[in-house]
Amino acid sequence: MEKNLYKYILKHSASQQVKLLILIVAGYPVIYIGFNLPKLIINDAIQGGPGSRDFLGWEFGQFQYLIALCVVFLLVVLINGGVKYFVNVYRGAMGERLLRRLRYDLIKRMLRFPLPTFSKIPQGEVISMVTLEVEKLGKFMGESISLPAFQGGILLTSLTFLMIENWIMGVAAMALYPLQIYLIPKLQISVNHLEAGRIRLVRSMSARIGETMSGVQEIHTHDTTQYELADFSDRLGKVFDVRFTIFKKKFFIKFFNNFLAQLGPFSFYLVGGYLVINNQLTVGGLVAMLSAHKEMYAPWKEILTYYQQKEESRVKYEQVISQFEPAGMLAEERISSDQALDAPLHKEIVASGLTYVDDNDNAVLESISMQMDLSKHTAIVGPTGSGKSSLTMILARLLDHTRGQLTIDNHDVRQLAESVTGRKMAYAGQGSHIFAGTLGDNLYYSLKHRPVIDPEYEGEAQKQAEWNHRESLLSGNSNYDINADWIDYQATGAEEPGQLINKLVRVLKIVELDEEVFHYGLRSTIDPEVDPEATQKIFETRISLREKMQDPQIQKYVEAFDPEKYNANATLAENLMFGTPVGKIFDIESLAEHPYVKTVLQKVGLEDTLVEIGHRLAALMIELFSDLDADNQNYQQFSFLDVEDLPSFQALCSCVEREGIGSLSEEERAALMDPTFKIIPTRHRLGLIDDAVQAKVLEARKVFRDDLPEELSGAIDFFDPDKYNAATSVQDNILFGKLAYGEANAAKTISDLLRDMIEEKGMYEAVINAGLSTRVGTGGIILSAALQQKVALARCIIKRPDVLVLYQAFSALEGNERVSVMKKMREEFKNRGVIFALKFPSMAQEFDHIFVMRGGEVVERGTYESLSKPGSYFSELLDTEKSQT
């Protein structure tokens, strides 16, 4: 990547810059004509007296001549304005393309960082550089050549006009420019140094903020809040000092420029007035020169500002680029090459004198030589710090060894691009990353190497796609369409897209993730427009369940929806609307604020009742939970209020106790009513929703449906025993009701029943597919550690790699589950290479070969039987494991 900003600009926009310069230069004569026209209008048309004038080969009278010159003047103004508009738009687009390219290049370089670099550079610092710090560079890169050419051209044209008209006036106009040219750069240099220091301080503070967020638990544990605040105060003070100094210097430069700018008109009026008085200059000439001189100030100011921005941009660019050139960057070809290897990797991995030295010059691995048969399964064991983590990452091509040689099937791994290793090998570590998005996004992530099926666009979408593609190429970005189908179906063994879910289900069963995804699917929705066959079968399953519900042993576990009855296992909101909201119009979090809901409640006389219930509920919540933390299990399960809302509700309750409910405003009444819509009588058992309230809710239910305005008809999908509800979960659609709270084994009994019925209808894969839409949160936060490891394993297995490398990838799984998953995984990879760095040495018993590591070296190798004999280091590790369990 170019280290010089101007080289980067010219490298990627030279042809566009030339086109812009040609247009700018072509406009110089028009600018000159614009300066000369006022003189002609005053001297010839106005003061020239009556008589005919020849203009462009035409004869004009005095007034007609005046009109002609004024029209030409107007045309010149329009042409100049048009040129300025085009130049501004063109260079603005060029600047944005260059900014887009720069950000893309930085992100691309970030993806080439060696893995250890990411532990040394804070994420916040990299994010800030790519987003905020380079933001202003876009505008400058667009103006970098065209602005001085355009503004400098205006300035030179003005000076040329002045010198032609009267050289004395020309000299007077430019007399002070040399002084500014000499002093301004000197002042700007000191500002540049300060700006560079400010950037370093802000980056350091950004990294500290990120560290504080990560360590907030320790801060509260050890009461170090004030220490941290003092540290931030000191850092903010240093930033303030630098910024304040910069402001003083910048404003002094501005003051100096403005002062010199006003000296120009002073000398111009003095000298020009003297020349007119002595008849050495006409009034029209003076007016024209005054106009030209006036036009000089703005370009000169723009040029000075440009110089300041140039230096600031240069410093910023060089500082950013320096952070994106760490030692040991991956070669460009490694991540972008489409290198292919048709033959499977099934022979052997051979390491000879393999050494790895980290960034602190510590020898993590020392001259390791080994041979691994890729038709068998190999275990690597050793204590913490033995080097097994680094070894597995080197074998998986995630770290580059420092010295020695490593080959796989006689291929030097250093010569293999990620297009080979990313398809034929897979790696899962102890804490593999889970991306924000859906479960499906993460499980299929390993299949998204290149686009497989291009998207089809029509009409405006086609035009927009073509525009996006063209702009992407002009900006040097990827020419791949993110909306394409990226999934490599062939890698999974699927012959066509419809078979993919079948292949995934098989993998989910190997890692024992199928039950969790199935339950996610039961709680998800299926769009009838996307999968009409599946929704029809779900409805048929509902009908089949009705017959089974005749059995009292099953009937007690589910309370069915009945238009004439209040469902005690559903929320008050569900009972009122007797349906599922579509979108946010009837959001349960703010249902009381909706005008139509308020009208319905008032019509049946239920509003005051719910306000009173809301008051009683708030008082109870304050009494029970005011001293509990927000993450307390009881608070999460039973509280209807957010912890930050407790003080405001406490104030509301106090107001009601003092002045009565009638004193509340409409907003306060709605605030008290909102929590009541979440009450489930059988679950919360608060005694607030009695028979009388239930009867009123049923009355309101009928009014809600009958009076619903046409414009709101699409905002609610009503419960209908003879219709599939697109807004309701798969489970609720089949049950057409709610699970009964308090019934022992209700969830398991119904879940098993639903599973059997769904499998009988051939719907199992459709429900699994629905479960894949479950969002996992940032970093997979909603998934347990065990589920995260299972997702990472499934992600590796689904692409059927030739070699699977694992590092303590089962550490979060329980004992029996760990053994079961291990067995299934080894069966799946029979006759394929598995290299597993194990947390527990005893797990190596089923492996074909074992390498024992200590202090970065392989100290023993062999089978489990040969290594577990007394006196071996491996037997010591086994004894240590036994003593710890």
Side-chain angles (χ1 to χ4, degrees), residues 48-292:
S52 62
R53 276 88 165 169
D54 179 73
F55 183 63
L56 300 177
W58 296 79
E59 289 291 329
F60 292 94
Q62 183 179 11
F63 184 64
Q64 289 79 9
Y65 183 54
L66 175 63
I67 293 175
L69 289 177
C70 289
V71 169
V72 172
F73 181 80
L74 182 60
L75 288 174
V76 168
V77 170
L78 289 173
I79 292 171
N80 281 332
V83 169
K84 287 182 180 179
Y85 173 78
F86 182 85
V87 167
N88 287 330
V89 171
Y90 192 86
R91 72 185 179 195
M94 184 166 55
E96 288 302 311
R97 290 190 189 111
L98 285 167
L99 176 60
R100 177 177 174 178
R101 180 189 291 270
L102 177 59
R103 283 176 168 156
Y104 180 81
D105 287 344
L106 293 177
I107 293 170
K108 193 173 182 180
R109 291 181 74 82
M110 179 195 71
L111 293 174
R112 292 170 52 201
F113 286 2
L115 288 186
T117 300
F118 290 98
S119 63
K120 296 186 295 183
I121 300 180
Q123 290 185 14
E125 189 172 315
V126 175
I127 294 169
S128 176
M129 284 188 281
V130 174
T131 55
L132 298 178
E133 290 190 25
V134 301
E135 179 73 28
K136 292 183 178 179
L137 288 179
K139 182 174 182 292
F140 176 77
M141 288 189 291
E143 299 175 343
S144 58
I145 295 173
S146 62
L147 187 143
F150 186 68
Q151 300 296 345
I154 295 175
L155 186 63
L156 289 174
T157 304
S158 302
L159 282 173
T160 301
F161 177 77
L162 291 174
M163 295 298 289
I164 291 173
E165 290 298 313
N166 189 293
W167 69 270
I168 298 176
M169 295 292 288
V171 171
M174 58 184 294
L176 296 174
Y177 287 174
L179 182 61
Q180 289 176 284
I181 292 172
Y182 174 76
L183 289 176
I184 297 301
K186 292 186 176 296
L187 294 171
Q188 185 62 41
I189 289 173
S190 62
V191 173
N192 293 342
H193 289 311
L194 290 168
E195 187 66 26
R198 183 195 67 80
I199 292 173
R200 287 192 294 269
L201 287 171
V202 171
R203 284 181 187 168
S204 174
M205 187 168 67
S206 176
R208 184 61 177 149
I209 291 172
E211 188 178 27
T212 302
M213 292 176 66
S214 300
V216 69
Q217 180 175 315
E218 299 301 316
I219 292 172
H220 293 309
T221 299
H222 302 295
D223 184 30
T224 57
T225 302
Q226 298 307 316
Y227 172 80
E228 295 296 336
L229 290 175
D231 180 49
F232 279 116
S233 178
D234 180 67
R235 292 171 184 269
L236 290 169
K238 290 175 181 177
V239 173
F240 170 81
D241 289 342
V242 173
R243 288 178 64 89
F244 185 59
T245 305
I246 291 174
F247 286 151
K248 287 190 292 185
K249 289 183 177 292
K250 279 188 173 181
F251 286 124
F252 175 76
I253 294 173
K254 187 175 182 180
F255 162 77
F256 184 70
N257 281 334
N258 288 337
F259 176 72
L260 293 181
Q262 295 307 314
L263 285 180
F266 165 78
S267 60
F268 207 73
Y269 287 130
L270 184 62
V271 175
Y274 174 80
L275 293 175
V276 171
I277 291 171
N278 289 279
N279 296 318
Q280 296 178 7
L281 186 66
T282 65
V283 175
L286 179 60
V287 170
M289 284 189 282
L290 285 171
S291 176

Side-chain angles (χ1 to χ4, degrees), residues 616-629 632 634-635 638-641 646 684-686:
R616 291 160 57 193
L617 179 64
L620 181 61
M621 293 300 101
I622 292 168
E623 180 181 351
L624 294 177
F625 300 117
S626 58
D627 295 328
L628 294 183
D629 295 329
N632 184 279
N634 290 327
Y635 187 91
F638 295 107
S639 181
F640 297 85
L641 309 177
L646 285 176
H684 300 118
R685 301 184 183 280
L686 300 172

Side-chain angles (χ1 to χ4, degrees), residues 486-758:
W486 286 68
I487 294 177
D488 185 354
Y489 298 99
Q490 187 177 359
T492 69
E495 296 180 0
E496 48 91 18
Q499 295 179 358
L500 180 64
I501 187 64
N502 175 266
K503 301 298 181 183
L504 179 63
V505 168
R506 181 173 172 277
V507 172
L508 294 178
K509 289 181 178 179
I510 292 173
V511 300
E512 299 187 2
L513 187 58
D514 53 319
E515 283 295 321
E516 285 85 354
V517 180
F518 177 76
H519 285 102
Y520 287 144
L522 289 178
R523 296 193 291 270
S524 302
T525 61
I526 298 179
D527 189 340
E529 294 185 5
V530 175
D531 196 344
E533 182 182 356
T535 53
Q536 177 59 33
K537 287 185 177 181
I538 289 173
F539 182 72
E540 292 172 3
T541 307
R542 178 197 295 181
I543 296 174
S544 301
L545 182 63
R546 286 179 189 170
E547 299 173 3
K548 295 183 181 291
M549 290 282 288
Q550 302 305 313
D551 183 348
Q553 292 301 315
I554 297 178
Q555 192 178 61
K556 67 179 181 179
Y557 293 131
V558 179
E559 183 178 5
F561 291 127
D562 186 331
E564 305 300 326
K565 293 182 180 179
Y566 191 97
N567 192 311
N569 289 284
T571 64
L572 191 152
E574 290 172 308
N575 275 284
L576 170 65
M577 295 182 289
F578 200 65
T580 308
V582 178
K584 295 291 186 180
I585 293 178
F586 290 119
D587 187 1
I588 192 173
E589 297 294 335
S590 56
L591 201 57
E593 284 90 350
H594 197 283
Y596 178 67
V597 174
K598 291 177 69 174
T599 300
V600 171
L601 297 178
Q602 291 169 356
K603 190 169 185 178
V604 300
L606 188 57
E607 184 183 26
D608 290 342
T609 302
L610 291 186
V611 173
E612 176 57 37
I613 292 174
H615 169 237
R616 291 160 57 193
L617 179 64
L620 181 61
M621 293 300 101
I622 292 168
E623 180 181 351
L624 294 177
F625 300 117
S626 58
D627 295 328
L628 294 183
D629 295 329
D631 57 355
N632 184 279
Q633 184 177 356
N634 290 327
Y635 187 91
Q636 293 287 336
Q637 185 174 359
F638 295 107
S639 181
F640 297 85
L641 309 177
D642 292 332
V643 66
E644 61 268 18
D645 293 334
L646 285 176
S648 61
F649 275 93
Q650 195 164 14
L652 277 178
C653 290
S654 299
C655 179
V656 171
E657 291 168 6
R658 290 194 312 270
E659 304 176 22
I661 286 180
S663 64
L664 298 177
S665 66
E666 288 297 316
E667 291 78 10
E668 291 170 334
R669 288 168 64 86
L672 284 176
M673 279 194 289
D674 274 332
T676 67
F677 289 108
K678 302 176 185 177
I679 297 176
I680 302 174
T682 55
R683 177 185 177 184
H684 300 118
R685 301 184 183 280
L686 300 172
L688 298 175
I689 310 297
D690 55 24
D691 292 342
V693 174
Q694 292 182 16
K696 281 289 186 183
V697 172
L698 292 177
E699 184 182 347
R701 175 191 294 177
K702 186 175 186 305
V703 174
F704 184 91
R705 181 160 191 164
D706 292 346
D707 295 353
L708 188 68
E710 180 66 26
E711 63 270 18
L712 295 177
S713 59
I716 186 82
D717 200 343
F718 291 108
F719 297 138
D720 186 335
D722 299 318
K723 176 177 168 289
Y724 177 84
N725 190 311
T728 298
S729 69
V730 171
Q731 176 172 291
D732 285 356
N733 259 296
I734 296 175
L735 296 178
F736 194 66
K738 291 289 186 178
L739 282 176
Y741 286 99
E743 290 290 342
N745 300 319
K748 185 178 186 311
T749 302
I750 294 301
S751 177
D752 291 344
L753 176 62
L754 290 180
R755 181 177 184 128
D756 292 341
M757 296 181 71
I758 285 170

Side-chain angles (χ1 to χ4, degrees), residues 116 356-364 402:
Y356 175 63
V357 179
D358 66 16
D359 292 341
N360 296 318
D361 290 332
N362 297 316
V364 181
T402 308

